[in-house]
Amino acid sequence: MEKASVFAYFEKLSGLSEDEGREYRFLCEAAIETVRLAAEQAESSRQQELAAAALAYYRYVLLSMTDGGTAVKVGEVSLRQGEERIRYAERLYKEAMANLKGYAGEEFAFERI
């Protein structure tokens, strides 16, 4: 899996320029390690790169939602600005991991004892 490819996919997903994306490379690097551990048996390096970029994008969206986004409340229903974006990013990541037959969750799990 090539870091440059993961960074390029991440920049496309996030819409960030190369300069702006440089600030979030730590997300890509962490995602690369997560995907490597979860999908060691993957056949395609490109699939791993896409999965890592999707995970980095998902974490980027979550991070960007913490910058004071507003919420709208009507009666019992509350919608946060960007909620659709979070759902899309999460679905994208989980589908990419499913294509690798890897683990798509963020929870802790035992693999072996």
Side-chain angles (χ1 to χ4, degrees):
M1 181 172 5
E2 294 184 28
K3 285 183 181 182
S5 294
V6 174
F7 296 148
Y9 288 135
F10 170 75
E11 288 164 358
K12 286 180 183 178
L13 286 171
S14 64
L16 297 173
S17 69
E18 188 175 336
D19 290 335
E20 293 168 327
R22 200 171 290 132
E23 185 177 335
Y24 297 99
R25 286 189 184 235
F26 73 97
L27 292 175
C28 293
E29 291 168 353
I32 288 168
E33 291 307 312
T34 300
V35 169
R36 265 198 193 125
L37 292 173
E40 291 176 354
Q41 305 301 321
E43 299 168 11
S44 169
S45 174
R46 184 171 183 268
Q47 286 180 321
Q48 286 183 339
E49 291 166 356
L50 289 170
L55 174 56
Y57 175 65
Y58 175 54
R59 290 176 174 169
Y60 164 75
V61 169
L62 291 174
L63 185 64
S64 68
M65 291 295 121
T66 62
D67 65 2
T70 60
V72 176
K73 186 165 185 167
V74 179
E76 297 288 319
V77 179
S78 176
L79 295 174
R80 284 186 24 180
Q81 190 177 32
E83 193 170 328
E84 288 297 318
R85 191 171 165 213
I86 292 172
R87 287 183 188 151
Y88 168 77
E90 180 180 26
R91 187 175 72 239
L92 182 68
Y93 160 60
K94 287 185 177 184
E95 287 176 5
M97 288 300 288
N99 287 338
L100 292 176
K101 296 180 177 42
Y103 175 70
E106 292 286 327
E107 299 86 18
F108 176 78
F110 283 107
E111 289 187 18
R112 295 184 199 111
I113 295 180

